[in-house]
Amino acid sequence: MYSSIESWNDLSRRNLLRYGLATIRETLRQTTDQPVEPSVIATLSAYMGNAADRLVPDEATERTKQHLLDTIASMISGIDLPPGRMGLKFIESYRGSGSATVAGSGVSCGPLEAAMANAMLAHSDETDDSHAPSQSHPGCGVIPAALAAAEHFAIDGTHLLRAIALGYDVGTRVSMTLGGEDYQTHFHRDTHSICTVFGAGAAAACAAKLNAQQMRWVLDYSAQQASGIAAWQRDTHHVEKALVFGGFAARDALSTALLIHAGATGVNDVLSGPDNFFLAFKPEADPQGLIDKLGERYEVTRTNIKKWTVGSPIQAVLDALELLLHEHPVKPADVREVVVRIGSGEAHIVDNRDMPDISLQHMVAVMITDGTVTFRSAHDQARMQDSGIQKLRSQVRLVYDDGLQRLYPVRVAVVEITTTDGKTYSKRVDAVRGSAENPMSTKEVVTKAQDLISPILGTERSGRLIEAVLKIEKISNVRFLGPMLRRA
């Protein structure tokens, strides 16, 4: 290294200068002789900056439309739930001027308020989509932010779909790069809010058609806004959860897009250099995860749509029960015991909870009694006091299964019913309906949407809205959806 300097006594200013210049020349020669790999942020921001004009494969486009419809249905169905009512109350008191739509209501407001309220509506309960590899609910943040930006900038339906697909790609990759469920478990930070603030930021920025340089600043602002701790799991009323998963992220992300669109600047590379995002959140993480198969693997196709409007760990259980009851029409009076096995890490989330849609024992009792589960039955708090349901609920035994937990993020359930005459029937589900491994058809997504939307908007308006979303690429201005989303 010091071959041109014979001894430390030769370290004169002239020699240091000569050595420094020689080193710079050698470094430049080496870097010009070899191809230079673009930085992660250069690749990611360029991809984001071109997203509005990039074709999305047919499968990913169709799945994006399904998730748009499913999230809109979740937003509308949340209007009469506690988090939705709280969000609407806040917006009615402090709304800014504007014509942005709050779904399922008669309220118009500014885009920031609409993004926040719609995101709270979307995650007022466990109806919205989920992405298992990243431990997140991307739709509840990405889609409200994208819709608010789409209305603000009056973009067309195809542009909106591309913005949403980008949001799913960016947000989930950030959480996966940090470690997904393991990151949340070991560091107590919330992967859901981290995913949605990055994903919603990317979607809103795409709707605003920001360029690659501006997308660097979007990532910078998203890193500054990334927050959330897993304490939301102690929120028994779901209000904090709705804000953490969706409301705060969508509002902040839209603020980012609008600020940068107006001329705001930031740090050019928040993913590397001093005090960068990964140094703050997880130094050992490999930033290459952010661009892994970007443009090849569309994360919206790996995102689950829930067939049942209940917590994710209960999905496979209800699938298994539906199949079992179809083969063996067991009535409540016939039941001696129901044994349910699910992953131990999932079981504690839904074990005899006091909210109906996240209480496994209660939902099993409802399914056996009714033969199905609807949005209404999954949210009937009063029915938790029904004597017949309580008796059947007491006969449900939940087993925390470490073996099934090792299969996560695939959620597997085994349900076994023993009848009063000594017969035992069992069913195992390895691929939940609506998951990436066993996706729902568009017809099934429509059926779920009708169940969620019709009680609020009516059957006729519900049908028109669903048809418009399924043909959204034919819509020249997304503002066309606004009147359809509002409650009369």
Side-chain angles (χ1 to χ4, degrees), residues 146-407:
L147 276 173
E151 282 193 296
H152 183 74
F153 292 106
I155 66 174
D156 62 41
T158 298
H159 188 172
L160 173 62
L161 290 176
R162 291 172 181 174
I164 292 169
L166 177 70
Y168 278 72
D169 275 338
V170 173
T172 58
R173 277 179 170 81
V174 174
S175 284
M176 285 189 291
T177 300
L178 292 174
E181 184 192 29
D182 285 343
Y183 180 73
Q184 180 166 287
T185 300
H186 292 107
F187 292 90
H188 313 289
R189 304 189 93 158
D190 183 55
T191 53
H192 305 81
S193 60
I194 293 172
C195 168
T196 49
V197 78
F198 276 94
C206 179
K209 214 162 185 184
L210 301 186
N211 61 34
Q213 174 59 66
Q214 291 170 313
M215 289 297 187
R216 286 173 172 258
W217 300 330
V218 168
L219 292 168
D220 175 36
Y221 284 25
S222 298
Q224 294 290 1
Q225 293 162 341
S227 63
I229 57 175
W232 58 259
Q233 293 175 96
R234 291 185 271 148
D235 171 27
T236 59
H237 299 290
H238 218 281
V239 174
E240 179 180 346
K241 194 165 182 270
L243 281 164
V244 171
F245 281 38
F248 289 150
R251 177 203 62 192
D252 294 348
L254 187 58
S255 299
T256 287
L258 295 179
L259 271 168
I260 294 172
H261 184 266
T265 60
V267 172
N268 278 331
D269 189 352
V270 76
L271 304 180
S272 66
D275 302 319
N276 69 70
F277 173 74
F278 288 108
L279 284 177
F281 279 75
K282 192 179 181 184
E284 64 270 29
D286 182 2
Q288 290 291 324
L290 297 181
I291 56 174
D292 179 39
K293 296 184 178 177
L294 193 63
E296 301 173 37
R297 187 186 71 221
Y298 287 80
E299 293 304 323
V300 72
T301 68
R302 298 209 300 164
T303 305
N304 305 332
I305 291 179
K306 295 176 179 176
K307 177 179 178 179
W308 312 101
T309 55
V310 300
S312 292
I314 308 176
Q315 298 290 315
V317 177
L318 296 186
D319 275 0
L321 261 179
E322 183 183 50
L323 295 169
L324 193 154
L325 293 173
H326 179 74
E327 296 172 6
H328 309 283
V330 175
K331 302 300 180 186
D334 303 327
V335 174
R336 176 185 296 168
E337 184 183 42
V338 182
V339 177
V340 177
R341 296 179 180 274
I342 62 174
S344 51
E346 299 281 285
H348 76 94
I349 299 172
V350 292
D351 191 357
N352 263 324
R353 296 288 296 275
D354 54 5
M355 295 173 65
D357 59 322
I358 55 173
S359 172
L360 182 144
Q361 290 86 341
H362 177 74
M363 294 319 306
V364 167
V366 170
M367 172 67 98
I368 294 173
T369 302
D370 297 353
T372 190
V373 168
T374 65
F375 178 81
R376 182 174 181 178
S377 65
H379 295 82
D380 190 346
Q381 189 76 36
R383 201 173 180 195
M384 295 189 84
Q385 307 308 316
D386 179 87
S387 59
I389 293 291
Q390 287 186 333
K391 179 178 184 299
L392 194 51
R393 179 174 171 170
S394 70
Q395 295 169 297
V396 179
R397 181 162 61 91
L398 175 58
V399 177
Y400 290 48
D401 194 307
D402 291 336
L404 295 183
Q405 183 61 35
R406 284 192 285 273
L407 301 176

